[in-house]
Amino acid sequence: MKNKTLPQIFIIYLRYLLGFAFVYASIVKIQGLRFTSESGALNPINSAWHFFETMYQSGIYWKFLGYGQLIAGFLLMTQRYAKLGVILFLPIILNIFVITISYDFKGTPIITGLILVTTFILIAWDWNTLKILINKTPTFSTKPRLENDFIWSIIGVIFFFLTIISKLIISKNSFILIFLSFLTISLLGMIIGYRKQKKITNKS
């Protein structure tokens, strides 16, 4: 299955999606801003908004979380370093999931839970090499694989900078332009991927 085109394309864009979510969410923390426009200090101490206000007021810790998300998301989007990215991603998203089920976040635990499951899917995909982390002998495939092509790293870096731009630009019209850019690059990436996979299949 790992040598088929569709599963590889699925995993590649799953990494892009998770990376986008983390990079996008990291910017506000790195900027030292709140998630919301209002302070949560007046909310009950056991509420989610008071909890986030406490983290925000910590300053250094708030930015530390942001940089952690930024690095993990960037590594995932590069594809080349996605294995390291998913290892960094797991404890962060697990922590976020536990937070969302510890407070009244309504439907948010469903979203964070799905992201957590998706993270485990990515770990399972790379388990042949990641199992070295539990003192197991890793196994490597010698067959040429579409997901290892350098084009995905280039697209990932483009996505990374587009994500940052889409967060920093306030204009709705500009945001729509960024979204269309994401869509166009995604479609071009898929076309390139299918063509490259076809060449790999013909050579083998």
Side-chain angles (χ1 to χ4, degrees):
M1 185 182 72
K2 288 186 177 182
N3 292 319
K4 293 183 178 179
T5 303
L6 282 179
Q8 290 186 73
I9 291 289
F10 175 75
I11 291 297
I12 289 168
Y13 280 87
L14 199 59
R15 290 168 179 161
Y16 286 150
L17 182 61
L18 292 189
F20 168 81
F22 256 30
V23 172
Y24 193 84
S26 71
I27 302 302
V28 67
K29 298 184 184 74
I30 294 173
Q31 289 179 303
L33 302 175
R34 294 185 178 90
F35 277 128
T36 58
S37 58
E38 298 180 1
S39 171
L42 298 179
N43 286 270
I45 195 170
N46 62 340
S47 67
W49 298 121
H50 194 102
F51 174 77
F52 277 114
E53 181 66 21
T54 301
M55 288 198 296
Y56 162 73
Q57 292 293 345
S58 68
I60 295 176
Y61 179 65
W62 187 241
K63 291 185 177 183
F64 171 77
L65 291 176
Y67 282 112
Q69 287 182 302
L70 183 74
I71 293 170
F74 173 72
L75 291 173
L76 272 178
M77 296 175 84
T78 64
Q79 301 296 326
R80 183 178 182 86
Y81 302 105
K83 295 180 180 65
L84 176 58
V86 76
I87 293 301
L88 295 177
F89 198 96
L90 178 60
I92 299 174
I93 188 58
L94 180 60
N95 181 62
I96 293 173
F97 174 70
V98 173
I99 289 173
T100 57
I101 63 175
S102 300
Y103 293 91
D104 183 19
F105 276 92
K106 297 181 180 180
T108 305
I110 297 175
I111 299 174
T112 56
L114 289 174
I115 296 176
L116 181 60
V117 170
T118 303
T119 305
F120 282 119
I121 291 174
L122 293 181
I123 290 176
W125 179 266
D126 288 319
W127 183 245
N128 285 342
T129 51
L130 290 178
K131 61 185 178 182
I132 192 175
L133 296 174
I134 58 170
N135 208 28
K136 298 288 185 179
T137 303
T139 53
F140 302 93
S141 175
T142 57
K143 294 182 179 180
R145 296 171 55 80
L146 174 63
E147 67 170 313
N148 294 330
D149 196 287
F150 188 65
I151 186 66
W152 305 115
S153 295
I154 297 174
I155 293 176
V157 172
I158 294 173
F159 276 156
F160 174 75
F161 285 109
L162 280 177
T163 302
I164 294 176
I165 292 171
S166 68
K167 182 62 178 176
L168 297 178
I169 291 179
I170 301 175
S171 171
K172 291 183 179 180
N173 294 330
S174 299
F175 187 82
I176 292 172
L177 181 62
I178 294 294
F179 174 77
L180 291 176
S181 300
F182 270 111
L183 183 61
T184 302
I185 295 172
S186 296
L187 292 175
L188 287 175
M190 288 183 184
I191 293 172
I192 293 171
Y194 272 109
R195 288 185 176 179
K196 284 182 174 292
Q197 183 62 33
K198 191 174 181 179
K199 290 181 180 179
I200 292 173
T201 303
N202 291 335
K203 287 181 180 180
S204 58

